[in-house]
PDB file of all heavy atoms in Angstrom:
ATOM      1  N   SER C 484     -32.069  20.257  -6.807  1.00 97.00           N
ATOM      2  CA  SER C 484     -30.920  20.698  -6.057  1.00 97.00           C
ATOM      3  C   SER C 484     -29.704  19.840  -6.341  1.00 97.00           C
ATOM      4  O   SER C 484     -29.863  18.590  -6.428  1.00 97.00           O
ATOM      5  CB  SER C 484     -31.263  20.623  -4.587  1.00 97.00           C
ATOM      6  OG  SER C 484     -30.064  20.844  -3.817  1.00 97.00           O
ATOM      7  N   PRO C 485     -28.524  20.452  -6.521  1.00 97.00           N
ATOM      8  CA  PRO C 485     -27.321  19.626  -6.650  1.00 97.00           C
ATOM      9  C   PRO C 485     -27.201  18.582  -5.511  1.00 97.00           C
ATOM     10  O   PRO C 485     -26.593  17.537  -5.707  1.00 97.00           O
ATOM     11  CB  PRO C 485     -26.185  20.660  -6.569  1.00 97.00           C
ATOM     12  CG  PRO C 485     -26.821  21.929  -7.088  1.00 97.00           C
ATOM     13  CD  PRO C 485     -28.274  21.880  -6.610  1.00 97.00           C
ATOM     14  N   ARG C 486     -27.743  18.906  -4.339  1.00 97.00           N
ATOM     15  CA  ARG C 486     -27.668  17.929  -3.241  1.00 97.00           C
ATOM     16  C   ARG C 486     -28.530  16.674  -3.477  1.00 97.00           C
ATOM     17  O   ARG C 486     -28.389  15.693  -2.777  1.00 97.00           O
ATOM     18  CB  ARG C 486     -28.098  18.586  -1.944  1.00 97.00           C
ATOM     19  CG  ARG C 486     -27.004  19.504  -1.355  1.00 97.00           C
ATOM     20  CD  ARG C 486     -27.298  19.883   0.074  1.00 97.00           C
ATOM     21  NE  ARG C 486     -26.224  20.678   0.574  1.00 97.00           N
ATOM     22  CZ  ARG C 486     -25.185  20.200   1.285  1.00 97.00           C
ATOM     23  NH1 ARG C 486     -25.112  18.948   1.586  1.00 97.00           N
ATOM     24  NH2 ARG C 486     -24.235  21.013   1.689  1.00 97.00           N
ATOM     25  N   ASP C 487     -29.459  16.801  -4.468  1.00 97.00           N
ATOM     26  CA  ASP C 487     -30.277  15.611  -4.739  1.00 97.00           C
ATOM     27  C   ASP C 487     -29.705  14.721  -5.827  1.00 97.00           C
ATOM     28  O   ASP C 487     -30.328  13.710  -6.199  1.00 97.00           O
ATOM     29  CB  ASP C 487     -31.722  16.076  -5.118  1.00 97.00           C
ATOM     30  CG  ASP C 487     -32.419  16.739  -3.963  1.00 97.00           C
ATOM     31  OD1 ASP C 487     -31.993  16.509  -2.815  1.00 97.00           O
ATOM     32  OD2 ASP C 487     -33.299  17.568  -4.200  1.00 97.00           O
ATOM     33  N   ILE C 488     -28.545  15.094  -6.319  1.00 94.00           N
ATOM     34  CA  ILE C 488     -27.886  14.271  -7.342  1.00 94.00           C
ATOM     35  C   ILE C 488     -26.883  13.383  -6.685  1.00 94.00           C
ATOM     36  O   ILE C 488     -25.988  13.843  -5.982  1.00 94.00           O
ATOM     37  CB  ILE C 488     -27.304  15.174  -8.444  1.00 94.00           C
ATOM     38  CG1 ILE C 488     -28.476  15.855  -9.142  1.00 94.00           C
ATOM     39  CG2 ILE C 488     -26.431  14.369  -9.404  1.00 94.00           C
ATOM     40  CD1 ILE C 488     -28.079  16.982 -10.006  1.00 94.00           C
ATOM     41  N   VAL C 489     -27.091  12.105  -6.867  1.00 86.00           N
ATOM     42  CA  VAL C 489     -26.198  11.116  -6.246  1.00 86.00           C
ATOM     43  C   VAL C 489     -24.982  10.904  -7.103  1.00 86.00           C
ATOM     44  O   VAL C 489     -25.100  10.909  -8.325  1.00 86.00           O
ATOM     45  CB  VAL C 489     -26.923   9.762  -6.038  1.00 86.00           C
ATOM     46  CG1 VAL C 489     -26.234   8.872  -5.064  1.00 86.00           C
ATOM     47  CG2 VAL C 489     -28.369  10.018  -5.598  1.00 86.00           C
ATOM     48  N   GLY C 490     -23.822  10.765  -6.523  1.00 77.00           N
ATOM     49  CA  GLY C 490     -22.580  10.555  -7.261  1.00 77.00           C
ATOM     50  C   GLY C 490     -22.203  11.804  -8.015  1.00 77.00           C
ATOM     51  O   GLY C 490     -22.558  12.917  -7.654  1.00 77.00           O
ATOM     52  N   LEU C 491     -21.450  11.650  -9.097  1.00 78.00           N
ATOM     53  CA  LEU C 491     -20.960  12.840  -9.818  1.00 78.00           C
ATOM     54  C   LEU C 491     -22.075  13.386 -10.714  1.00 78.00           C
ATOM     55  O   LEU C 491     -22.788  12.617 -11.323  1.00 78.00           O
ATOM     56  CB  LEU C 491     -19.752  12.449 -10.679  1.00 78.00           C
ATOM     57  CG  LEU C 491     -18.521  12.028  -9.934  1.00 78.00           C
ATOM     58  CD1 LEU C 491     -17.418  11.671 -10.928  1.00 78.00           C
ATOM     59  CD2 LEU C 491     -18.039  13.168  -9.041  1.00 78.00           C
ATOM     60  N   SER C 492     -22.199  14.705 -10.755  1.00 78.00           N
ATOM     61  CA  SER C 492     -23.211  15.245 -11.608  1.00 78.00           C
ATOM     62  C   SER C 492     -22.785  15.110 -13.082  1.00 78.00           C
ATOM     63  O   SER C 492     -21.602  15.079 -13.368  1.00 78.00           O
ATOM     64  CB  SER C 492     -23.499  16.725 -11.273  1.00 78.00           C
ATOM     65  OG  SER C 492     -22.722  17.570 -12.034  1.00 78.00           O
ATOM     66  N   GLN C 493     -23.772  15.052 -13.922  1.00 79.00           N
ATOM     67  CA  GLN C 493     -23.463  14.826 -15.371  1.00 79.00           C
ATOM     68  C   GLN C 493     -22.781  16.065 -15.931  1.00 79.00           C
ATOM     69  O   GLN C 493     -23.160  17.168 -15.579  1.00 79.00           O
ATOM     70  CB  GLN C 493     -24.790  14.618 -16.128  1.00 79.00           C
ATOM     71  CG  GLN C 493     -25.554  13.413 -15.725  1.00 79.00           C
ATOM     72  CD  GLN C 493     -24.768  12.139 -16.007  1.00 79.00           C
ATOM     73  OE1 GLN C 493     -24.262  11.917 -17.082  1.00 79.00           O
ATOM     74  NE2 GLN C 493     -24.702  11.297 -14.974  1.00 79.00           N
ATOM     75  N   THR C 494     -21.774  15.814 -16.774  1.00 72.00           N
ATOM     76  CA  THR C 494     -21.235  16.976 -17.441  1.00 72.00           C
ATOM     77  C   THR C 494     -22.182  17.279 -18.578  1.00 72.00           C
ATOM     78  O   THR C 494     -22.818  16.396 -19.089  1.00 72.00           O
ATOM     79  CB  THR C 494     -19.822  16.695 -17.997  1.00 72.00           C
ATOM     80  OG1 THR C 494     -19.903  15.497 -18.708  1.00 72.00           O
ATOM     81  CG2 THR C 494     -18.801  16.628 -16.943  1.00 72.00           C
ATOM     82  N   GLY C 495     -22.309  18.525 -18.932  1.00 72.00           N
ATOM     83  CA  GLY C 495     -23.260  18.876 -20.006  1.00 72.00           C
ATOM     84  C   GLY C 495     -23.781  20.258 -19.680  1.00 72.00           C
ATOM     85  O   GLY C 495     -23.318  20.914 -18.714  1.00 72.00           O
ATOM     86  N   ALA C 496     -24.688  20.736 -20.526  1.00 75.00           N
ATOM     87  CA  ALA C 496     -25.134  22.132 -20.374  1.00 75.00           C
ATOM     88  C   ALA C 496     -25.869  22.310 -19.018  1.00 75.00           C
ATOM     89  O   ALA C 496     -26.678  21.494 -18.652  1.00 75.00           O
ATOM     90  CB  ALA C 496     -26.079  22.475 -21.499  1.00 75.00           C
ATOM     91  N   LYS C 497     -25.449  23.316 -18.275  1.00 83.00           N
ATOM     92  CA  LYS C 497     -26.084  23.614 -16.968  1.00 83.00           C
ATOM     93  C   LYS C 497     -26.698  25.013 -17.133  1.00 83.00           C
ATOM     94  O   LYS C 497     -26.143  25.832 -17.884  1.00 83.00           O
ATOM     95  CB  LYS C 497     -25.068  23.651 -15.881  1.00 83.00           C
ATOM     96  CG  LYS C 497     -24.204  22.432 -15.743  1.00 83.00           C
ATOM     97  CD  LYS C 497     -24.591  21.605 -14.515  1.00 83.00           C
ATOM     98  CE  LYS C 497     -24.094  20.219 -14.522  1.00 83.00           C
ATOM     99  NZ  LYS C 497     -22.708  20.011 -14.178  1.00 83.00           N
ATOM    100  N   LEU C 500     -23.294  27.587 -15.470  1.00 95.00           N
ATOM    101  CA  LEU C 500     -22.138  26.722 -15.299  1.00 95.00           C
ATOM    102  C   LEU C 500     -21.300  27.100 -14.050  1.00 95.00           C
ATOM    103  O   LEU C 500     -20.882  26.244 -13.285  1.00 95.00           O
ATOM    104  CB  LEU C 500     -21.291  26.796 -16.564  1.00 95.00           C
ATOM    105  CG  LEU C 500     -20.240  25.730 -16.801  1.00 95.00           C
ATOM    106  CD1 LEU C 500     -20.878  24.379 -16.737  1.00 95.00           C
ATOM    107  CD2 LEU C 500     -19.559  25.992 -18.135  1.00 95.00           C
ATOM    108  N   HIS C 503     -22.873  26.210 -10.717  1.00 97.00           N
ATOM    109  CA  HIS C 503     -22.815  24.764 -10.516  1.00 97.00           C
ATOM    110  C   HIS C 503     -21.433  24.323 -10.142  1.00 97.00           C
ATOM    111  O   HIS C 503     -21.271  23.497  -9.233  1.00 97.00           O
ATOM    112  CB  HIS C 503     -23.252  24.053 -11.804  1.00 97.00           C
ATOM    113  CG  HIS C 503     -24.703  23.841 -11.825  1.00 97.00           C
ATOM    114  ND1 HIS C 503     -25.302  22.684 -11.290  1.00 97.00           N
ATOM    115  CD2 HIS C 503     -25.724  24.631 -12.215  1.00 97.00           C
ATOM    116  CE1 HIS C 503     -26.623  22.773 -11.418  1.00 97.00           C
ATOM    117  NE2 HIS C 503     -26.914  23.984 -11.961  1.00 97.00           N
ATOM    118  N   GLU C 504     -20.418  24.838 -10.800  1.00 97.00           N
ATOM    119  CA  GLU C 504     -19.027  24.441 -10.493  1.00 97.00           C
ATOM    120  C   GLU C 504     -18.703  24.738  -9.018  1.00 97.00           C
ATOM    121  O   GLU C 504     -18.199  23.899  -8.302  1.00 97.00           O
ATOM    122  CB  GLU C 504     -18.048  25.101 -11.406  1.00 97.00           C
ATOM    123  CG  GLU C 504     -16.556  24.853 -11.088  1.00 97.00           C
ATOM    124  CD  GLU C 504     -16.193  23.328 -11.040  1.00 97.00           C
ATOM    125  OE1 GLU C 504     -16.857  22.535 -11.774  1.00 97.00           O
ATOM    126  OE2 GLU C 504     -15.318  22.992 -10.249  1.00 97.00           O
ATOM    127  N   VAL C 506     -20.708  25.288  -6.414  1.00 98.00           N
ATOM    128  CA  VAL C 506     -21.544  24.526  -5.474  1.00 98.00           C
ATOM    129  C   VAL C 506     -21.121  23.051  -5.516  1.00 98.00           C
ATOM    130  O   VAL C 506     -20.904  22.402  -4.476  1.00 98.00           O
ATOM    131  CB  VAL C 506     -23.043  24.685  -5.776  1.00 98.00           C
ATOM    132  CG1 VAL C 506     -23.862  23.697  -4.983  1.00 98.00           C
ATOM    133  CG2 VAL C 506     -23.461  26.150  -5.437  1.00 98.00           C
ATOM    134  N   GLU C 507     -20.983  22.502  -6.693  1.00 96.00           N
ATOM    135  CA  GLU C 507     -20.725  21.038  -6.812  1.00 96.00           C
ATOM    136  C   GLU C 507     -19.306  20.664  -6.322  1.00 96.00           C
ATOM    137  O   GLU C 507     -19.170  19.604  -5.705  1.00 96.00           O
ATOM    138  CB  GLU C 507     -20.936  20.571  -8.251  1.00 96.00           C
ATOM    139  CG  GLU C 507     -22.449  20.489  -8.573  1.00 96.00           C
ATOM    140  CD  GLU C 507     -22.705  20.322 -10.088  1.00 96.00           C
ATOM    141  OE1 GLU C 507     -21.789  19.979 -10.808  1.00 96.00           O
ATOM    142  OE2 GLU C 507     -23.864  20.473 -10.490  1.00 96.00           O
ATOM    143  N   PHE C 508     -18.363  21.513  -6.585  1.00 97.00           N
ATOM    144  CA  PHE C 508     -16.997  21.248  -6.147  1.00 97.00           C
ATOM    145  C   PHE C 508     -16.934  21.115  -4.610  1.00 97.00           C
ATOM    146  O   PHE C 508     -16.387  20.161  -4.027  1.00 97.00           O
ATOM    147  CB  PHE C 508     -16.068  22.381  -6.606  1.00 97.00           C
ATOM    148  CG  PHE C 508     -14.597  22.114  -6.359  1.00 97.00           C
ATOM    149  CD1 PHE C 508     -13.812  21.487  -7.301  1.00 97.00           C
ATOM    150  CD2 PHE C 508     -14.024  22.435  -5.133  1.00 97.00           C
ATOM    151  CE1 PHE C 508     -12.479  21.258  -7.052  1.00 97.00           C
ATOM    152  CE2 PHE C 508     -12.649  22.211  -4.876  1.00 97.00           C
ATOM    153  CZ  PHE C 508     -11.884  21.612  -5.855  1.00 97.00           C
ATOM    154  N   LEU C 510     -19.510  20.689  -2.593  1.00 97.00           N
ATOM    155  CA  LEU C 510     -20.431  19.606  -2.117  1.00 97.00           C
ATOM    156  C   LEU C 510     -19.678  18.268  -2.173  1.00 97.00           C
ATOM    157  O   LEU C 510     -19.791  17.431  -1.274  1.00 97.00           O
ATOM    158  CB  LEU C 510     -21.685  19.595  -3.023  1.00 97.00           C
ATOM    159  CG  LEU C 510     -22.723  18.521  -2.713  1.00 97.00           C
ATOM    160  CD1 LEU C 510     -23.206  18.642  -1.295  1.00 97.00           C
ATOM    161  CD2 LEU C 510     -23.893  18.641  -3.691  1.00 97.00           C
ATOM    162  N   LEU C 511     -18.944  18.124  -3.247  1.00 96.00           N
ATOM    163  CA  LEU C 511     -18.164  16.876  -3.380  1.00 96.00           C
ATOM    164  C   LEU C 511     -17.127  16.758  -2.254  1.00 96.00           C
ATOM    165  O   LEU C 511     -16.877  15.674  -1.703  1.00 96.00           O
ATOM    166  CB  LEU C 511     -17.506  16.764  -4.764  1.00 96.00           C
ATOM    167  CG  LEU C 511     -16.866  15.424  -5.069  1.00 96.00           C
ATOM    168  CD1 LEU C 511     -17.913  14.300  -5.121  1.00 96.00           C
ATOM    169  CD2 LEU C 511     -16.100  15.461  -6.401  1.00 96.00           C
ATOM    170  N   ARG C 514     -18.916  15.630   0.799  1.00 97.00           N
ATOM    171  CA  ARG C 514     -19.258  14.192   0.706  1.00 97.00           C
ATOM    172  C   ARG C 514     -18.013  13.287   0.753  1.00 97.00           C
ATOM    173  O   ARG C 514     -18.092  12.191   1.304  1.00 97.00           O
ATOM    174  CB  ARG C 514     -20.041  13.952  -0.608  1.00 97.00           C
ATOM    175  CG  ARG C 514     -21.423  14.512  -0.511  1.00 97.00           C
ATOM    176  CD  ARG C 514     -22.167  14.398  -1.772  1.00 97.00           C
ATOM    177  NE  ARG C 514     -23.601  14.701  -1.564  1.00 97.00           N
ATOM    178  CZ  ARG C 514     -24.502  14.903  -2.510  1.00 97.00           C
ATOM    179  NH1 ARG C 514     -24.109  14.770  -3.791  1.00 97.00           N
ATOM    180  NH2 ARG C 514     -25.732  15.141  -2.218  1.00 97.00           N
ATOM    181  N   VAL C 520     -19.366   9.477  -0.715  1.00 96.00           N
ATOM    182  CA  VAL C 520     -19.069   8.994  -2.095  1.00 96.00           C
ATOM    183  C   VAL C 520     -18.031   7.906  -1.956  1.00 96.00           C
ATOM    184  O   VAL C 520     -17.418   7.732  -0.898  1.00 96.00           O
ATOM    185  CB  VAL C 520     -18.569  10.134  -3.023  1.00 96.00           C
ATOM    186  CG1 VAL C 520     -19.673  11.078  -3.398  1.00 96.00           C
ATOM    187  CG2 VAL C 520     -17.405  10.909  -2.334  1.00 96.00           C
ATOM    188  N   GLU C 525     -11.752   7.552  -9.729  1.00 94.00           N
ATOM    189  CA  GLU C 525     -12.688   8.301 -10.622  1.00 94.00           C
ATOM    190  C   GLU C 525     -13.222   9.533  -9.871  1.00 94.00           C
ATOM    191  O   GLU C 525     -13.255  10.622 -10.445  1.00 94.00           O
ATOM    192  CB  GLU C 525     -13.815   7.363 -11.035  1.00 94.00           C
ATOM    193  CG  GLU C 525     -14.658   7.970 -12.135  1.00 94.00           C
ATOM    194  CD  GLU C 525     -16.112   7.473 -12.104  1.00 94.00           C
ATOM    195  OE1 GLU C 525     -16.391   6.444 -11.441  1.00 94.00           O
ATOM    196  OE2 GLU C 525     -16.963   8.122 -12.753  1.00 94.00           O
ATOM    197  N   ILE C 526     -13.655   9.351  -8.609  1.00 95.00           N
ATOM    198  CA  ILE C 526     -14.209  10.474  -7.878  1.00 95.00           C
ATOM    199  C   ILE C 526     -13.097  11.503  -7.599  1.00 95.00           C
ATOM    200  O   ILE C 526     -13.293  12.712  -7.814  1.00 95.00           O
ATOM    201  CB  ILE C 526     -14.881   9.985  -6.577  1.00 95.00           C
ATOM    202  CG1 ILE C 526     -15.938   9.002  -6.821  1.00 95.00           C
ATOM    203  CG2 ILE C 526     -15.356  11.215  -5.745  1.00 95.00           C
ATOM    204  CD1 ILE C 526     -17.378   9.527  -7.011  1.00 95.00           C
ATOM    205  N   ARG C 529     -12.324  13.943 -10.220  1.00 92.00           N
ATOM    206  CA  ARG C 529     -13.239  15.105 -10.346  1.00 92.00           C
ATOM    207  C   ARG C 529     -12.638  16.376  -9.731  1.00 92.00           C
ATOM    208  O   ARG C 529     -12.774  17.450 -10.301  1.00 92.00           O
ATOM    209  CB  ARG C 529     -14.608  14.776  -9.759  1.00 92.00           C
ATOM    210  CG  ARG C 529     -15.548  15.952  -9.516  1.00 92.00           C
ATOM    211  CD  ARG C 529     -16.008  16.580 -10.857  1.00 92.00           C
ATOM    212  NE  ARG C 529     -16.889  17.725 -10.633  1.00 92.00           N
ATOM    213  CZ  ARG C 529     -16.514  18.990 -10.391  1.00 92.00           C
ATOM    214  NH1 ARG C 529     -15.262  19.292 -10.295  1.00 92.00           N
ATOM    215  NH2 ARG C 529     -17.387  19.953 -10.281  1.00 92.00           N
ATOM    216  N   ASN C 617     -18.284  22.788 -21.551  1.00 91.00           N
ATOM    217  CA  ASN C 617     -19.265  22.653 -20.468  1.00 91.00           C
ATOM    218  C   ASN C 617     -18.575  22.449 -19.136  1.00 91.00           C
ATOM    219  O   ASN C 617     -19.228  22.041 -18.152  1.00 91.00           O
ATOM    220  CB  ASN C 617     -20.250  21.524 -20.736  1.00 91.00           C
ATOM    221  CG  ASN C 617     -21.271  21.940 -21.760  1.00 91.00           C
ATOM    222  OD1 ASN C 617     -21.705  23.086 -21.732  1.00 91.00           O
ATOM    223  ND2 ASN C 617     -21.661  21.049 -22.638  1.00 91.00           N
TER     224      ASN C 617
END
Side-chain angles (χ1 to χ4, degrees):
S484 170
R486 284 193 177 266
D487 295 337
I488 293 167
V489 196
L491 293 180
S492 91
Q493 297 298 310
T494 47
K497 305 253 163 79
L500 196 56
H503 272 269
E504 174 56 30
V506 169
E507 285 168 14
F508 187 92
L510 178 59
L511 188 64
R514 289 176 166 168
V520 285
E525 189 208 346
I526 302 270
R529 165 66 180 84
N617 282 323

